[in-house]
Amino acid sequence: MSADAKSLDDLRREIDQIDDSLHDLLIRRAAVSLDIAKVKQPANGAALASAMRPAREAAILRRLLARHKGELPPGVVVGIWRQIIAASLRAQAKYEIHVFGGNGQTAFLDLAHTYFGSAAPLRLHSRVSQVVNACAEEPNSLGIVPMPELEEPGAAWWSKLAVSGQVGPRVIAKLPFIVNGEEAVSAYAIGAIEQEASGDDTTLLVLEIASGLSRTKLRSLLKEAGLDANIVAAGRISEKNAPDEILAEVKGFIPKDDPRLKRLAEAAGDAVYRADPIGGFANPVVLAARR
């Protein structure tokens, strides 16, 4: 029967049946999520580090967007599933979200609710360093911090993040996950969670370089080592004659034992003191502009 031939009551009954089916599936999904938590931590319940899998979450959303069709906007699909994913995570592990809200900004609160769910417990902080410190003190905490400034006036907050394999918070996501070409506030999500490959990723490297090393030469060294990098921020260590700090976004998933990091160290010599991954993110989905 075509939609035109159906009465309004028929259509409403069909909506009710669809709603019941969706609800049944959500109940089933929540039960499976709890089963997953029991497999991960059968005795004590899953800690955040084992419960949250940002790469897996990104893969789910990309798969759904690839099969999506119809009039429901892709952003709505992502929003619905982010709420579902957040609720499942909340059932597996208890955590608190620390959000930068300096200068009366509320945009980061919106990003936190969109990514971590509308029911997530949030705490606002006036300084980015407070968010980083809170996440460092409590492993089951997550944070939302603004994108770094291109030129930091001193020791940068991102230099305090944990290196891959060490205890502490690192970058786990870049928000928003879905980008439609409009101007939007961006942020990093941080937490004590190791980066995993999602298939389309960016890794963040902190580099300490000799003060005389130019950005052009650094880019050349990174390229020679096979690292497709973009310098996003720079700071200076406060001690006299200490090296500069550079934050770079590198294309792809770069584990701490990646041979390209060794090649960089060998090629740079004393010009680069260290190059350490401090997390990264599954690359956000960029929607085609509507005509």
Side-chain angles (χ1 to χ4, degrees):
M1 185 185 297
S2 68
D4 291 340
K6 292 181 180 180
S7 69
L8 182 58
D9 286 341
D10 289 334
L11 293 170
R12 284 173 173 166
R13 278 192 292 271
E14 187 173 356
I15 287 291
D16 289 342
Q17 291 170 0
I18 293 171
D19 286 344
D20 288 347
S21 297
L22 288 171
H23 191 204
D24 289 341
L25 289 171
L26 287 173
I27 293 170
R28 180 181 169 191
R29 192 188 194 282
V32 173
S33 292
L34 287 179
D35 289 340
I36 290 173
K38 292 174 184 177
V39 170
K40 290 178 178 177
Q41 294 282 344
N44 302 318
L48 182 63
S50 61
M52 188 174 186
R53 302 284 298 280
R56 164 70 176 156
E57 295 170 7
I60 290 172
L61 295 175
R62 288 174 183 154
R63 179 178 62 81
L64 292 173
L65 287 172
R67 71 188 298 275
H68 184 61
K69 59 183 178 180
E71 296 301 315
L72 191 65
V76 173
V77 174
V78 170
I80 291 171
W81 255 266
R82 279 303 329 168
Q83 295 292 328
I84 294 171
I85 290 169
S88 296
L89 177 63
R90 189 70 183 158
Q92 295 181 49
K94 304 305 178 187
Y95 57 89
E96 189 171 46
I97 315 293
H98 299 271
V99 183
F100 171 70
N103 303 318
Q105 296 190 58
T106 61
F108 300 111
L109 279 174
D110 295 337
L111 287 175
H113 280 135
T114 299
Y115 191 78
F116 293 113
S118 56
L122 305 179
R123 286 188 59 190
L124 274 176
H125 298 272
S126 59
R127 296 194 301 274
V128 180
S129 59
Q130 293 173 326
V131 176
V132 177
N133 291 339
C135 291
E137 292 168 2
E138 176 48 61
N140 270 25
S141 286
L142 298 162
I144 300 291
V145 294
M147 301 299 292
E149 296 183 32
L150 183 58
E151 295 288 342
E152 297 281 356
W157 61 264
W158 38 264
S159 68
K160 309 302 180 185
L161 296 178
V163 173
S164 177
Q166 296 181 359
V167 176
R170 57 187 59 84
V171 173
I172 62 171
K174 187 175 184 179
L175 309 180
F177 180 72
I178 189 166
V179 181
N180 58 13
E182 298 178 359
E183 289 269 344
V185 173
S186 296
Y188 288 143
I190 63 173
I193 298 166
E194 287 289 348
Q195 183 187 13
E196 297 176 311
S198 75
D200 181 14
D201 303 283
T202 294
T203 300
L204 288 171
L205 290 183
V206 166
L207 304 105
E208 290 183 7
I209 64 173
S211 58
L213 182 65
S214 69
R215 307 290 170 80
T216 300
K217 179 59 176 177
L218 176 59
R219 291 189 185 95
S220 177
L221 289 170
L222 289 164
K223 185 176 181 179
E224 289 174 14
L227 297 167
D228 185 357
N230 178 41
I231 295 173
V232 295
R236 182 177 293 277
I237 299 176
S238 58
E239 291 83 358
K240 187 176 181 181
N241 297 324
D244 292 336
E245 294 175 305
I246 298 293
L247 180 66
E249 289 186 348
V250 183
K251 185 177 181 180
F253 172 62
I254 313 294
K256 62 180 180 179
D257 57 353
D258 194 290
R260 288 170 290 182
L261 297 177
K262 183 178 180 180
R263 288 203 297 268
L264 174 64
E266 292 172 347
D270 293 338
V272 176
Y273 294 81
R274 74 177 181 111
D276 293 321
I278 55 167
F281 51 87
N283 289 327
V285 173
V286 180
L287 299 179
R290 290 189 176 183
R291 302 192 179 196

